[in-house]
Amino acid sequence: LRNRAQGLYSAISGGVFLSATVWLSGHLYAAYGGKTYLVMAAISAAALALALGLIRFSPRVRQAGAA
């Protein structure tokens, strides 16, 4: 089950999301030029906030806290 989940994650993040963001970034760059990097920074900040919010669900973090 874990291998399936990793394969699905890889297909979605490396395939669907990557191709969609590359396609979208071309349109954003055509419209806004260098200011497109501000959108990239906002997406990165949102991803960081999501990662920090989800870290408490990590089994390794729970094991380290119990030790």
Side-chain angles (χ1 to χ4, degrees), residues 21-22 27 66:
T21 54
V22 168
H27 292 290

Side-chain angles (χ1 to χ4, degrees), residues 4-21:
R4 281 188 190 169
Q6 287 177 343
L8 182 61
Y9 168 75
S10 179
I12 291 173
S13 66
V16 176
F17 287 150
L18 182 61
S19 63
T21 54

Side-chain angles (χ1 to χ4, degrees), residues 25-42:
S25 67
H27 292 290
L28 285 173
Y29 193 79
Y32 299 110
K35 292 181 183 177
T36 303
Y37 290 102
L38 296 175
V39 176
M40 178 183 63

